[in-house]
Amino acid sequence: MARIKILENNIRHYAWGSLTAIPELLDISFSSDRPCAELWMGAHPNAPSRVTHEGRTVSLDQYIVRNAEHLLGKTVAGKFNNSLPFLFKVLAAAEPLSIQAHPDKAQAREGFDRENRAGIPLDAPNRNYKDSHHKPECICAMTPFTALCGFRDIPDIIHNLSTVLPGHRQNVLSDLHRKSDSVGLKAFFHQLLVMDSDAAGDVTARAVDEAGKRAENDFMCRWIVRLNQFYPGDIMALAPAFLNLVELSPQQALFLPAGVLHAYLEGVGVELMASSDNVLRGGLTPKHVDVDELMRVLDFSPLTLQLLSPEFGEGCEGVFDTSAEEFVLSVVRVMPGTTCIPGQQGRVAILLCVEGQAILTDEDTEETTELTRGVSVIIPASVTHYTLSGDAKIFKASVPC
């Protein structure tokens, strides 16, 4: 029985997704009316991957339940209650995602229990908490990737909004002028969220008009105009003025802890997160927005962006340094004529080949698996010695313990 399993994964179809990026990665045909937004690799119950075991196709979550110590290892199985602690994705954004944030552990547990007690169905559109887990995440660009991430410094916010807002509409900045700290920032953002639709539409229209005059030479103004094109009149089109606007180059990454307001705007990347589906939205979406709950989970400290690059030692694997306890994201470069021995052997891992071709060898059993573009596998913790050979680029999700 092969210990290393090829994964059959689910594609999630959301309106903001790309028609071509994920189908091209998987070498499958695509439908012109079904955007492919995310490819899920993992055991999340909403869309678990599948594996072949003893001649049968079984979902990965069920397979893990029956083989927890073999798959996860004793330490991980005990720490994470016999479940895979991460969810690995390919994310392909042709249009902006909603502005959103994720709760921390305590907030997720409390919110999930509260909504359960209230009898809100898990699939209800007004449900905020789909599970009791937090959702730190790391996004690594595969193509140039544009994102909004965390509040800017308050002097920058005042300068940016003063640039695009006419003078008589700068009363939206009054909270920041009075108190240039996280308290003032919280009051400013709450004012935007609860502004009546007529006033919000007027502020947005005037700001977009002014931004349009500067868009040719100003990245921030260009995105204000674009966001308004996708969501006309939504005051969160102004978000590039108060959130950090960043363009990642391929193989650069961002780590997003709990409470950081963010939105992915455009591009293709691999995303690794704790295995949760909890999202609190703030705008740029037709979906449910719960202002009070979002305000409860947000961190209103200005965020200094730290772009991550893989840190290579002497081997073939470069690791992205994050503080997550559920996952480690790395990139493995398999070079012709050499044998690649990835780190963290003996820990559960998912590998996704995104370029080239490689042979994955379980050195204990001498079984081999061919990895080509779009192929992903799960390597159980019981596999303590595996190697890669060929010419390929592979993203790897594993656990730090």
Side-chain angles (χ1 to χ4, degrees):
M1 178 184 69
R3 299 194 296 174
I4 297 173
K5 303 288 190 183
I6 293 177
L7 296 176
E8 299 176 31
N9 303 307
N10 292 287
I11 297 174
R12 308 290 275 178
H13 301 279
Y14 306 132
W16 49 262
S18 165
L19 291 173
T20 59
I22 290 175
E24 286 176 355
L25 174 67
L26 301 178
D27 193 23
I28 60 176
S29 60
F30 67 91
S31 170
S32 60
D33 61 354
R34 291 199 80 196
C36 297
E38 296 178 345
L39 179 73
W40 284 29
M41 296 165 285
H44 194 283
N46 283 2
S49 301
R50 298 168 298 280
V51 298
T52 299
H53 179 65
E54 296 180 344
R56 296 174 55 244
T57 299
V58 296
S59 67
L60 185 57
D61 54 342
Q62 294 174 351
Y63 183 55
I64 289 174
V65 167
R66 298 167 189 164
N67 304 273
E69 285 201 17
H70 160 67
L71 259 296
L72 304 176
K74 187 174 182 179
T75 300
V76 172
K79 182 175 182 178
F80 296 105
N81 195 29
N82 291 337
S83 62
L84 187 68
F86 60 77
L87 176 60
F88 201 17
K89 297 180 181 180
V90 176
L91 184 148
E95 298 180 6
L97 282 67
S98 60
I99 289 182
Q100 59 188 255
H102 309 299
D104 63 23
K105 287 183 178 180
Q107 292 163 343
R109 284 194 296 267
E110 188 278 329
F112 184 68
D113 290 344
R114 171 166 31 92
E115 293 189 337
N116 282 345
R117 291 194 303 271
I120 303 173
L122 280 175
D123 59 354
N126 63 327
R127 178 93 189 198
N128 293 313
Y129 295 93
K130 305 297 178 65
D131 53 61
S132 60
H133 306 297
H134 70 158
K135 192 184 176 185
E137 61 189 40
C138 185
I139 182 77
C140 177
M142 295 172 62
T143 68
F145 193 96
T146 307
L148 295 167
C149 182
F151 289 101
R152 294 178 184 260
D153 289 335
I154 291 174
D156 290 341
I157 295 174
I158 293 173
H159 169 78
N160 291 342
L161 287 175
S162 297
T163 299
V164 297
L165 283 176
H168 76 283
R169 270 308 191 181
Q170 288 195 24
N171 59 324
V172 300
L173 294 172
S174 58
D175 290 304
L176 291 178
H177 284 302
R178 282 196 301 269
K179 205 166 183 62
S180 296
D181 57 16
S182 59
V183 175
L185 185 54
K186 183 176 183 178
F188 155 77
F189 186 66
H190 185 260
Q191 178 193 181
L192 296 186
L193 289 175
V194 301
M195 189 178 295
D196 71 73
S197 58
D198 288 341
D202 181 47
V203 170
T204 304
R206 292 173 182 270
V208 169
D209 182 63
E210 189 64 33
K213 301 172 185 176
R214 306 167 183 267
E216 184 176 353
N217 299 309
D218 190 306
F219 191 49
M220 177 195 77
C221 289
R222 191 155 60 248
W223 269 105
I224 289 174
V225 172
R226 287 194 65 187
L227 291 177
N228 185 68
Q229 290 170 344
F230 287 113
Y231 294 96
D234 189 328
I235 201 164
M236 288 299 136
L238 276 62
F242 57 82
L243 298 180
N244 293 295
L245 178 61
V246 59
E247 185 171 52
L248 301 176
S249 299
Q251 215 161 283
Q252 284 186 317
L254 282 172
F255 175 66
L256 302 172
V260 174
L261 193 64
H262 64 279
Y264 300 145
L265 302 183
E266 185 176 64
V268 180
V270 290
E271 187 180 24
L272 183 56
M273 64 193 66
S275 188
S276 171
D277 201 25
N278 288 326
V279 178
L280 294 159
R281 297 175 178 86
L284 304 182
T285 179
K287 295 183 179 180
H288 176 61
V289 174
D290 186 329
V291 171
D292 292 340
E293 198 65 28
L294 178 64
M295 294 296 294
R296 264 194 286 271
V297 307
L298 281 184
D299 182 352
F300 288 96
S301 304
L303 179 69
T304 300
L305 280 182
Q306 294 185 346
L307 303 187
L308 305 178
S309 296
E311 297 179 5
F312 285 88
E314 296 181 357
C316 55
E317 181 175 3
V319 178
F320 295 92
D321 184 19
T322 76
S323 59
E325 62 177 326
E326 292 86 359
F327 61 78
V328 175
L329 178 65
S330 57
V331 60
V332 179
R333 189 68 179 95
V334 186
M335 304 296 290
T338 64
T339 298
C340 169
I341 305 175
Q344 299 174 308
Q345 303 260 339
R347 302 180 190 179
V348 61
I350 291 178
L351 273 58
L352 169 68
C353 181
V354 296
E355 293 179 13
Q357 181 177 2
I359 298 297
L360 170 61
T361 302
D362 181 342
E363 295 291 344
D364 294 328
T365 65
E366 298 185 351
E367 292 176 333
T368 62
T369 304
E370 184 179 16
L371 298 182
T372 55
R373 190 168 186 260
V375 172
S376 58
V377 297
I378 185 164
I379 301 178
S382 59
V383 176
T384 58
H385 186 200
Y386 66 91
T387 60
L388 290 158
S389 59
D391 185 2
K393 180 179 177 181
I394 294 168
F395 282 102
K396 174 185 166 189
S398 58
V399 289
C401 59

